Amino acid sequence: MNTAFFAMVRTDMRLYFGNRKALLIHVAAPIAIASFFGYVFGGAGGGSETSRIPVLIVDLDSSPVSRAVAANLAAEKALAVESSTLEEARDKVRKGKASAALSIPQGFGVAAANALFRGENKPEIGVLFDPSHAAEAGMVKGILMGSVMQAVSREAMSGAGGRASLDRSLRDLEADRDMAPADKRPLTDLLGSLRRWNDYNQNRRAAGESPIAAGVTVPFTTREEAITARQDQPYNSYAHAFAGMAVQFILFMGIDVGIGMLLLRQRGLWRRFRAAPLSRAVLLSSRAASAAVISMLILMVVFGFARVVFGVRAEGSFGGFLLICAAFSLMTASFGLLIAALGNSPEAARGLSILATLLMVMLGGAWVPAFLFPQWLQRLTLFVPTRWAVDGLDAVTWRGLGLASALAPTAVLLGSAALFGVVAVWRFRWEAD
């Protein structure tokens, strides 16, 4: 019995290591995926190239303080800052072209300097953000706080506007009859010291030396607004989740189509079909058509469930939604044909196609937010059809965009379907090796 046991073990191991493609997948897949996630999240030393968050600045104040805030934000390595108008910023955030937009109101510099010492009448900075990039928006708000504190403190301690604000605060304090003298005296001393500090910095500037600045308190608040299909409509995160998972598992269905065709070839059934009065085009196109119809039905069922249970709607163009679903269904069908054309055996083809699908889904932004990718990788994903499928479905669901936003994703998906189909027909073999 022991001899038979070890003989069977040796046979299994010999067969396994003899299948080089399957062995390659089992070794390469975990290495490739682990390397991918490790690189995206900073690498071993945390020094890999990271993507910059696109941020728009709407400066309605044009004061030294607001210009200093914009300059501080532009100097941040984590941000890619551009100037914009309010309407243009709102449109770009809605379309996903910018993660956030900051609107600095008129009179911000004076109001922030006044609020620095008394903590009253704090001006608001408008924050428009893409709710699917909420983590980026939070990062931008944190950087904004430091930038404003730096700019307002510098102006208060060394600028002419800060001197005027100190003078106003001292006059208001002296005229305040409601504050007890015992409470007024320490604040008067503080403002007087700050006034002398400002004079000292002015003298340093006059002598050609750099002023010395310091901060006191946070002189502003924020007003947040999520830009979705309609104003005051909350972001439904299920829309993006269902788009990504539908894309992934429908591609898995395409894998099953390809593997099924390989099994038919392995059993010699394709040779029998060809003996019948059926052309090559009919045999292949029928498989593609059935796969496309099944894909479309799956999409309708998945999004129907999301609509009923989680309130996911096509807030934009419903026609665009149907176009993207139909184009992706055709791409899935041609992807299945491609697997059948390029695969040598069902076992090896399954491993390769699963790896390819997982990579396409990851690069499409269904798993990892695309803003975490390095810039070069974000550009590379434009050649991945799943990126267009996920972004297109996002556009016509929670973003609420019109038919025009569906045309580019539809064209890319149809082009990918045509490319996969041409290669599949060219390389398809009717008989097993």
Side-chain angles (χ1 to χ4, degrees), residues 334 338 416-428:
S334 62
L338 186 66
S416 301
L419 177 62
F420 293 167
V422 168
V423 175
V425 172
W426 171 47
R427 293 292 305 273
F428 192 83

Side-chain angles (χ1 to χ4, degrees), residues 235-260:
Y235 168 59
N236 191 341
S237 61
Y238 287 103
H240 177 75
F242 271 85
M245 291 303 100
V247 165
Q248 173 177 322
F249 285 96
I250 288 175
L251 285 176
F252 284 160
M253 187 278 295
I255 293 175
D256 290 336
V257 170
I259 298 302

Side-chain angles (χ1 to χ4, degrees), residues 135-161:
E136 293 171 87
M139 185 184 301
V140 170
K141 285 176 56 182
I143 296 174
L144 173 65
M145 181 178 295
S147 299
V148 172
M149 284 299 302
Q150 182 179 353
V152 176
S153 299
R154 184 183 296 115
E155 179 67 15
M157 301 299 181
S158 59

Side-chain angles (χ1 to χ4, degrees), residues 51-73:
S51 173
R52 303 177 71 188
I53 302 172
V55 177
L56 302 174
I57 297 291
V58 181
D59 187 0
L60 303 177
D61 190 28
S62 296
S63 66
V65 171
S66 64
R67 289 194 295 270
V69 170
N72 292 340
L73 291 172

